Amino acid sequence: MRAYTKDIFRNISHSKKRFLAIALITLLGVMMFSGLQASCNDLEKSADAFFDAQHLHDIQIQSTLGLTDDDITALLQDKDVAAAAGIRSVSADIKSSDSKTETLLSDAAVTTLNDAGIDAPYLLKGSLPSAADEALLTEKTAKNNGLSIGDSFTVSATEDTDSSSSSPALLVTKFKVCGIVTDPTDVDNPFGQVSYRSSQSSSDKVFVKPNAVSGSIYTSVVIELKDAKSYNCYSDDYADYVNDVQTRIENKIRPSAEERRTEEVRADAQKTLDDEISASEDALKKQTEEAEKSLSAAGSQAVPKEQLQAQKAQLEQKLKAAQDKIDEEKAAQQKKIDKMEGASWYVMNRTALSGWSNIQSDADSIASIGVVFPVVFFAIAILISLTTVARMIDEDRGLLGTYKSLGFTNQEIQRKYLLYVGMAGLAGSIGGTILAFIAFPSFLFTVFRMMYLLPSYSLSVMPLRAVLGPVLFMGGILLTTVYSCNKELRQSAAALMRPKSPKPGSHVLLERIRPVWRRMSFLRKVTARNLFRYKSRMLMTVLGIGGCMALLIFGFALRDSDVISRYTNAAITSAKLQTSDGEISVSLVVFPDETDASEYVNFDKLEASNAGSIVSADSGTDSTASAGTSISSADSGTDSTASAGTRADTGNLETGDIYVTQNAATLLNFSAGDKVSCRLPDLSEADLPVTAVVRNYIGNYMYMNESTYKSYFGDPGYNAVLASFKDSVSTSAKKAFGTDLKNMSGISAVMVTSELMEQSADTFRLMNVVVAIIIVMSAALAFVVLFTLQTTNISERERELATIKVLGFYDREVHQYINRETWFLTILGVLIGLPLGWLFAQTISVILRLPSISLSVSIHPVSYLYSAVLTLLFALLVQLITNITLNRIDPATALKSVE
Amino acid sequence: MSYIEFRAVTKEYRTGETSILALNRATFQVEKGEFAVILGASGAGKTTALNILGGMDTATSGEVIVDGNDIAACSAKQLVTYRRHDVGFVFQFYNLVPNLTALENVELAVQVCQNHLDPAQTLEKVGLGDRMNNFPAQLSGGEQQRVSIARALAKNPKLLLCDEPTGALDYVTGKQVLQLLQDTCRRDGVTVLLITHNSALAPMADRLIRFRSGEVTEITKNDHPLPISEIEW
């Protein structure tokens, strides 16, 4: 091998630390560049594979009057519908097989499987039902009820429907568990937390064969689209595809289907009424006949005339009353039939499924963090490599001169350093890529497994990113090498072989302040002068540390932004809102005047109501509306107002303000400024002007304060308390508290908002992991920055340090000589990092856009402290290491003169 | 026209307002195959002149003509080529590559040359046949200097420039080194320029050039140069 090449390799082995520093920085940078994105990509891909395998529906339709086979036929006519199946579902309570035990769990839904295999449950244990009395349970249902395979249980419907009606009714009431499954429509992991993002904790499902439930009406119809599987279900293409079909269904099939069904039901009701009335009238006729018979019978007997008259009159009265009653009844019933609400379809896609959309929003928010970080890492990586390479070339000055004098071209000399840096970068890139695509996702999978019930997660590569990351980082550090080399090589060989003259000293501004200067000890004066001597390094240290502080604060802020610890009274009633477009129920929430309602509810005002706009399937604001369906994942770009606004963006509830949530606005087709008619349970009514439409995903709410309510209705009776827990309360304690509350007399309902917080816990479990990763990375970065700068500092001033050693400085004093400067710069960096970190954290709300919570960015003061302490800890660690290096400087060798 | 012509060469260093003239219109000539010795006290400008001659530094003004080519007018790239093929330099402080052995150091230099001598043989010629695989850190000062000379010699250059090669060496070793240089000059016809501040060496030169304060004060031709073995100091 040529001597030149040997020199390169020996260079590496003789300066391992430097080589490692460059490799490490590249590794961290490349890993952060792709790691988060890869994990999210894998999550979405794994989920997509699962949903494809289980034939998860692409569209689900529900109707206020139920769906029939005619509807299914109509739907199958659409060119993109591959399969459609009806599902019958009955709400029931589960009891154990011996009826002596109390209800084990209420609100289960006995749901039929379908022959088309849509929404097929994933079998974990056991087998699919073969008989009508065999049932599949989800793990949650099984655990909650203490049931396992082979156990029997009974169900009793919560509403009585007899099996002769067309609505779904239970044919079988005693079931045997034949298998435990995962429901693809609900992949949120219930253990540890309940997903908040569904409107109700999704009912426990019991899956049975179709012949266990009677009825010709379907509770819902699920549809599989032809090309859906060819897309990743989280991609925009999929959303567009489904949206197109949804629109077609809405425009072409829905109107006629609704009409048809409405007519059907009306005709049925009318027929029933007519039958009833004629039956009643027949009965009455019979009664009349009998009465007349008895009268004439009485007339044939010797009964006094007056008595007879009286009896006759009485009878006639009775008959008339009966007839009146029938007429009244007929009129009332007829009125009901005439006033009957028409069928209304709800066409929903997967965004209505909480599990599906949780995955999407989690992947999105994690991915968006993954956008910001690599940029910061990249900047710092360039900084570090610049410093390291510049230092290396500086040390080799004489060697560069020698090479030049021997007749090597600049290119050839540069090649040596490019190869050095290139190999370090390559090693780091390879390591980083492996970590990013294998270790990182695998690690996050453990978290995902806690959050979702997906059976398996697979690793995959994102080829573009895998190449781009290394290219960017290596390109960056190679460019800095070229830059540093060129800078030196521009000098003549002779100049290079002359030792570099040390940087000239100069007077510091501080000297002008004589009283201060005079009082400073000599060593402190030296420190002051030295600080300004190496201005560029000073700047780099301060910025490097400031940047790392900012990253740390960012990490902590992610974790902190979920504080609530207040409570207020409130009046919550259900009210009916009505416009010409229809009527829906809303929860009316009245706050006391003095409460800052925005501390409990995030009023994110939308510009205009979204009625009529057909939004991309990502947005939850279109036709998915009924209270009780979960809506989520509003990645909608449709609103220019702050999407996940900080609390500062939203207004407080002033007197006169009436806010209504967006679903109501869409359904009833009103917007801010319109009037809606509101009817309370006590039947008091008022026309309310809507001040603003606010964002909300779960159910429908109307908000106003006490004064507003008083002006329309009178005093609100406070019947509720909105409360929040302190941070230190654990989730299980919150749940226990909620249960205790529930059991107290006088309390009718408790909604523990740690089911709200569990969404917090849910998201934040993932977030906590991500935050931990970010903090560790930032810490590693801070460490590398400090270490590199410190070692560069020392090697550059080796002679100076050797000299003071010779002059008789103790080791400790030599340490102080250097460390004093470093501490000063570190503290300066920390101070700068504080506002920088605050600024950085404000971008969280923009970056994350978590749909189910508005993150109001708040940073605990303590987090600033943590970040500062961590940074200073690292400074201390680095200092300890460099102290060792300082001790090793041997004055004799360091001072060996070249000239 | 002489083989080497140094014409009114000035080298000025400017730092802020101060201006230092390392060379002030220095002029001298050297013929082909001559052994020239440059004498002068410290700071006289000897090293500067040699550096410019060796293409490692550039003159502020003046002409430097070597074998018909004006070095001072060369571009940086041309200078590299010049250094590659035509010049061998021996430094006062050796300037060896610390990561390479003695043999590799010499190999390094000939890598870029065309008609070079065999590195191992050259090392043997300088008397380091059994130290070829040692690193510079394992060699004494004199040995390192000899490696440095071997490096320069192995390139088979037209011009051998030596900047105080014996400055750090003892009497005996120094004499050996000088003998080697003289032999190379006589035997192989290499033009040698040697800088020294030891005036006792003056008799060995074919031409003596004296520097003072950046100017050439004297050029003496010596028709009967003494072999180094006869010179004592």
Side-chain angles (χ1 to χ4, degrees):
Chain A
M1 206 195 316
R2 302 185 349 152
Y4 172 69
T5 329
K6 282 191 209 170
D7 188 25
I8 298 175
F9 281 105
R10 298 221 189 113
N11 199 11
I12 297 175
S13 51
H14 285 188
S15 56
K16 288 196 201 69
K17 263 187 263 179
R18 201 172 269 158
F19 191 78
L20 270 170
I22 299 179
L24 196 65
I25 263 289
T26 318
L27 185 135
L28 284 178
V30 168
M31 182 175 80
M32 287 312 284
F33 186 77
S34 302
L36 286 172
Q37 318 291 65
S39 309
C40 300
N41 190 36
D42 288 344
L43 175 63
E44 289 189 340
K45 269 199 171 156
S46 307
D48 186 48
F50 176 64
F51 293 138
D52 283 347
Q54 302 309 118
H55 297 276
L56 180 66
H57 68 256
D58 298 302
I59 295 178
Q60 184 187 44
I61 303 179
Q62 287 180 328
S63 167
T64 48
L65 294 181
L67 296 149
T68 60
D69 283 324
D70 289 334
D71 295 320
I72 295 185
T73 317
L75 286 163
L76 282 170
Q77 311 237 318
D78 187 287
K79 63 178 169 81
D80 277 314
V81 172
I87 296 184
R88 291 188 292 273
S89 168
V90 181
S91 302
D93 292 337
I94 296 182
K95 297 185 160 72
S96 75
S97 61
D98 62 291
S99 46
K100 270 191 270 170
T101 343
E102 292 174 13
T103 309
L104 294 172
L105 183 85
S106 61
D107 210 14
V110 179
T111 312
T112 55
L113 303 164
N114 60 77
D115 293 326
I118 302 178
D119 291 349
Y122 176 79
L123 205 60
L124 293 168
K125 285 190 273 227
S127 56
L128 294 174
S130 48
D133 64 348
E134 289 189 338
L136 296 168
L137 298 180
T138 56
E139 260 195 305
K140 175 170 101 170
T141 315
K143 272 220 172 90
N144 283 347
N145 293 291
L147 295 167
S148 42
I149 298 182
D151 290 346
S152 299
F153 61 96
T154 50
V155 292
S156 67
T158 44
E159 277 169 21
D160 284 312
T161 18
D162 66 292
S163 36
S164 63
S165 88
S166 46
S167 303
L170 290 170
L171 284 173
V172 180
T173 49
K174 183 156 181 216
F175 290 100
K176 192 165 87 159
V177 182
C178 62
I180 307 285
V181 296
T182 300
D183 178 11
T185 64
D186 177 19
V187 290
D188 285 325
N189 189 339
F191 301 114
Q193 56 265 346
V194 166
S195 170
Y196 140 102
R197 286 176 265 220
S198 56
S199 63
Q200 322 138 311
S201 22
S202 15
S203 317
D204 287 347
K205 275 205 193 140
V206 177
F207 293 99
V208 295
K209 287 193 74 120
N211 53 3
V213 179
S214 70
S216 58
I217 298 180
Y218 298 115
T219 322
S220 68
V221 168
V222 287
I223 296 175
E224 224 186 333
L225 298 178
K226 287 208 178 94
D227 295 332
K229 285 214 180 54
S230 63
Y231 303 112
N232 179 316
C233 63
Y234 290 104
S235 65
D236 288 333
D237 288 334
Y238 173 84
D240 289 337
Y241 177 63
V242 171
N243 218 34
D244 282 342
V245 181
Q246 259 182 286
T247 315
R248 275 209 304 275
I249 293 178
E250 292 271 9
N251 294 340
K252 297 212 181 110
I253 302 179
R254 175 179 169 172
S256 48
E258 283 178 342
E259 231 181 84
R260 178 184 6 98
R261 180 73 189 143
T262 311
E263 263 319 297
E264 233 176 62
V265 174
R266 195 166 278 159
D268 269 344
Q270 189 71 56
K271 182 161 183 300
T272 315
L273 178 65
D274 290 342
D275 285 343
E276 261 179 33
I277 296 293
S278 56
S280 312
E281 292 195 332
D282 281 344
L284 188 63
K285 225 192 231 160
K286 232 182 172 171
Q287 249 189 338
T288 322
E289 280 173 10
E290 275 183 13
E292 284 181 353
K293 245 198 212 148
S294 66
L295 263 178
S296 52
S300 62
Q301 287 178 346
V303 176
K305 213 176 183 182
E306 299 87 28
Q307 226 182 2
L308 215 67
Q309 291 263 14
Q311 268 185 348
K312 196 177 181 191
Q314 225 182 25
L315 219 65
E316 282 184 358
Q317 231 183 10
K318 250 200 214 158
L319 290 173
K320 189 164 187 297
Q323 181 69 47
D324 283 344
K325 211 166 167 215
I326 291 177
D327 289 339
E328 221 181 270
E329 195 56 31
K330 182 179 182 188
Q333 291 296 339
Q334 189 66 52
K335 196 170 174 202
K336 257 201 201 159
I337 293 179
D338 292 338
K339 261 191 138 188
M340 188 185 78
E341 260 180 47
S344 191
W345 269 25
Y346 297 118
V347 182
M348 299 167 280
N349 58 29
R350 288 187 186 177
T351 55
L353 297 173
S354 101
W356 185 92
S357 35
N358 284 353
I359 291 179
Q360 184 178 56
S361 61
D362 282 342
D364 275 350
S365 40
I366 301 303
S368 27
I369 297 179
V371 165
V372 177
F373 260 69
V375 175
V376 179
F377 269 77
F378 186 72
I380 299 188
I382 297 298
L383 190 86
I384 297 301
S385 67
L386 193 67
T387 317
T388 313
V389 169
R391 184 68 218 131
M392 182 167 63
I393 290 176
D394 206 58
E395 276 177 11
D396 282 352
R397 243 178 87 94
L399 209 59
L400 283 174
T402 310
Y403 270 105
K404 256 196 168 205
S405 75
L406 288 175
F408 282 81
T409 59
N410 281 355
Q411 252 93 305
E412 289 168 329
I413 301 174
Q414 245 181 36
R415 208 183 302 157
K416 173 175 164 190
Y417 296 98
L418 285 174
L419 274 171
Y420 181 91
V421 171
M423 287 201 274
L426 193 67
S429 295
I430 293 176
T433 309
I434 292 177
L435 284 179
F437 288 99
I438 298 182
F440 217 89
S442 302
F443 176 65
L444 281 180
F445 285 170
T446 57
V447 181
F448 292 148
R449 263 184 262 273
M450 288 190 274
M451 297 171 66
Y452 303 110
L453 298 171
L454 299 176
S456 65
Y457 294 88
S458 52
L459 295 167
S460 67
V461 179
M462 299 168 77
L464 187 66
R465 233 167 222 276
V467 170
L468 196 64
V471 163
L472 265 175
F473 277 87
M474 280 186 64
I477 56 178
L478 285 173
L479 275 172
T480 57
T481 312
V482 170
Y483 169 74
S484 304
C485 270
N486 278 343
K487 212 161 65 124
E488 292 294 307
L489 289 174
R490 239 179 299 187
Q491 300 170 60
S492 65
L496 284 172
M497 285 192 287
R498 274 195 293 272
K500 202 173 180 179
S501 46
K503 241 196 157 85
S506 53
H507 290 294
V508 202
L509 236 75
L510 195 60
E511 293 185 47
R512 304 264 179 90
I513 312 174
R514 271 182 217 279
V516 179
W517 192 250
R518 236 181 304 141
R519 289 218 177 83
M520 285 168 68
S521 77
F522 174 71
L523 284 177
R524 280 186 216 264
K525 287 183 186 165
V526 172
T527 308
R529 288 247 181 91
N530 279 339
L531 274 173
F532 289 97
R533 204 156 76 137
Y534 301 102
K535 287 194 193 69
S536 64
R537 211 196 346 278
M538 178 177 117
L539 204 66
M540 276 202 286
T541 315
V542 173
L543 282 179
I545 295 187
C548 293
M549 264 289 285
L551 283 179
L552 282 172
I553 292 177
F554 180 78
F556 280 114
L558 279 179
R559 214 185 48 154
D560 291 343
S561 298
D562 67 346
V563 181
I564 2 172
S565 52
R566 292 165 276 267
Y567 72 93
T568 181
N569 280 337
I572 302 182
T573 41
S574 84
K576 274 206 160 41
L577 289 187
Q578 195 181 45
T579 64
S580 54
D581 285 73
E583 181 188 86
I584 54 160
S585 302
V586 299
S587 291
L588 169 55
V589 182
V590 181
F591 291 96
D593 288 340
E594 59 274 9
T595 304
D596 181 4
S598 62
E599 288 184 353
Y600 297 88
V601 183
N602 187 59
F603 298 118
D604 189 0
K605 292 187 208 160
L606 307 174
E607 291 269 26
S609 81
N610 283 304
S613 65
I614 297 185
V615 190
S616 83
D618 288 334
S619 155
T621 60
D622 61 358
S623 49
T624 65
S626 91
T629 328
S630 68
I631 298 141
S632 52
S633 146
D635 203 3
S636 73
T638 58
D639 300 301
S640 52
T641 49
S643 41
T646 55
R647 287 202 184 119
D649 288 334
T650 62
N652 191 8
L653 203 53
E654 306 291 342
T655 304
D657 282 341
I658 296 177
Y659 298 158
V660 188
T661 54
Q662 62 195 76
N663 295 330
T666 313
L667 277 179
L668 296 187
N669 202 7
F670 64 83
S671 48
D674 291 337
K675 277 209 170 133
V676 288
S677 155
C678 175
R679 192 171 73 243
L680 298 184
D682 65 1
L683 296 181
S684 50
E685 266 191 59
D687 282 331
L688 301 176
V690 176
T691 332
V693 176
V694 291
R695 188 186 293 276
N696 193 63
Y697 299 102
I698 290 84
N700 285 299
Y701 294 93
M702 192 161 71
Y703 303 103
M704 63 180 78
N705 73 2
E706 189 177 352
S707 304
T708 319
Y709 185 87
K710 270 200 182 137
S711 65
Y712 290 105
F713 298 111
D715 275 316
Y718 285 112
N719 59 359
V721 173
L722 302 178
S724 335
F725 296 101
K726 289 194 220 158
D727 296 331
S728 49
V729 180
S730 71
T731 318
S732 48
K734 290 175 189 172
K735 270 191 165 153
F737 185 72
T739 316
D740 285 344
L741 271 182
K742 252 185 228 172
N743 291 335
M744 283 171 68
S745 62
I747 306 258
S748 63
V750 173
M751 177 159 138
V752 179
T753 315
S754 69
E755 278 152 46
L756 221 100
M757 296 292 263
E758 307 236 83
Q759 159 254 335
S760 305
D762 212 4
T763 317
F764 287 116
R765 169 150 322 176
L766 185 60
M767 200 57 74
N768 273 340
V769 171
V770 174
V771 163
I773 292 175
I774 288 174
I775 290 180
V776 169
M777 289 297 124
S778 309
L781 208 61
F783 188 78
V784 176
V785 167
L786 279 174
F787 188 75
T788 311
L789 290 174
Q790 189 71 305
T791 42
T792 312
N793 194 16
I794 290 178
S795 61
E796 198 172 290
R797 293 154 69 179
E798 212 181 4
R799 278 177 165 258
E800 181 185 333
L801 295 166
T803 309
I804 63 172
K805 272 198 175 193
V806 168
L807 288 175
F809 273 48
Y810 287 114
D811 277 344
R812 203 170 50 90
E813 290 168 333
V814 177
H815 299 167
Q816 271 180 359
Y817 188 77
I818 294 283
N819 291 332
R820 207 170 268 153
E821 292 163 36
T822 320
W823 275 109
F824 185 79
L825 291 176
T826 309
I827 290 175
L828 206 68
V830 165
L831 287 174
I832 287 188
L834 290 174
L836 211 70
W838 179 87
L839 202 74
F840 212 27
Q842 299 313 310
T843 63
I844 290 180
S845 52
V846 174
I847 293 169
L848 284 189
R849 290 181 297 146
L850 279 171
S852 13
I853 356 161
S854 257
L855 274 190
S856 124
V857 177
S858 69
I859 308 176
H860 287 151
V862 133
S863 297
Y864 289 114
L865 191 68
Y866 287 155
S867 309
V869 165
L870 267 174
T871 312
L872 292 175
L873 257 168
F874 286 117
L876 193 68
L877 193 64
V878 171
Q879 193 191 297
L880 287 173
I881 296 178
T882 52
N883 280 352
I884 298 174
T885 322
L886 283 173
N887 289 346
R888 282 216 211 107
I889 295 179
D890 176 20
T893 42
L895 286 174
K896 224 197 294 204
S897 194
V898 179
E899 191 130 355
Chain B
M1 174 108 110
S2 322
Y3 190 61
I4 299 177
E5 280 241 22
F6 219 72
R7 262 194 230 149
V9 176
T10 308
K11 176 73 183 171
E12 186 182 2
Y13 290 106
R14 219 164 234 285
T15 49
E17 306 99 34
T18 39
S19 160
I20 301 168
L21 286 172
L23 287 176
N24 193 1
R25 299 186 66 81
T27 307
F28 65 85
Q29 306 81 32
V30 179
E31 298 297 337
K32 193 166 163 77
E34 275 189 347
F35 193 105
V37 170
I38 302 175
L39 276 181
S42 332
K46 317 185 293 287
T47 308
T48 314
L50 216 69
N51 282 343
I52 291 175
L53 194 53
M56 296 202 298
D57 208 347
T58 45
T60 318
S61 68
E63 291 165 324
V64 181
I65 300 164
V66 177
D67 198 8
N69 296 326
D70 185 359
I71 308 293
C74 272
S75 70
K77 194 131 190 268
Q78 289 163 326
L79 279 179
V80 173
T81 319
Y82 171 63
R83 288 200 297 273
R84 224 181 236 244
H85 302 299
D86 300 340
V87 177
F89 216 103
V90 182
F91 301 96
Q92 181 180 8
F93 292 104
Y94 334 134
N95 281 354
L96 298 176
V97 178
N99 270 344
L100 299 174
T101 63
L103 182 62
E104 287 161 358
N105 262 286
V106 181
E107 282 175 347
L108 181 69
V110 302
Q111 238 178 260
V112 294
C113 286
Q114 284 143 349
N115 321 332
H116 56 86
L117 304 178
D118 177 51
Q121 273 181 9
T122 319
L123 274 171
E124 273 171 36
K125 236 199 303 188
V126 301
L128 290 175
D130 54 346
R131 305 300 301 279
M132 283 200 273
N133 293 320
N134 289 121
F135 286 96
Q138 299 161 328
L139 299 171
S140 75
E143 287 163 340
Q144 287 184 54
Q145 188 60 289
R146 278 185 274 165
V147 175
S148 183
I149 293 170
R151 179 174 68 180
L153 288 177
K155 281 173 83 158
N156 208 3
K158 294 187 213 163
L159 197 56
L160 196 61
L161 305 174
C162 311
D163 188 350
E164 301 213 42
T166 57
L169 302 176
D170 66 280
Y171 177 73
V172 175
T173 323
K175 260 190 151 180
Q176 284 175 340
V177 166
L178 290 170
Q179 182 73 62
L180 186 54
L181 290 172
Q182 203 174 40
D183 291 343
T184 312
C185 178
R186 300 277 174 259
R187 213 178 35 224
D188 304 324
V190 181
T191 314
V192 179
L193 274 86
L194 182 94
I195 294 180
T196 181
H197 54 253
N198 182 359
S199 35
L201 294 178
M204 78 180 278
D206 291 323
R207 187 185 292 258
L208 190 64
I209 304 168
R210 275 191 203 271
F211 267 77
R212 190 157 81 176
S213 304
E215 294 171 350
V216 176
T217 51
E218 190 188 319
I219 305 181
T220 323
K221 259 198 83 84
N222 186 354
D223 293 320
H224 303 286
L226 285 177
I228 193 72
S229 45
E230 290 177 24
I231 302 179
E232 306 283 330
W233 65 90

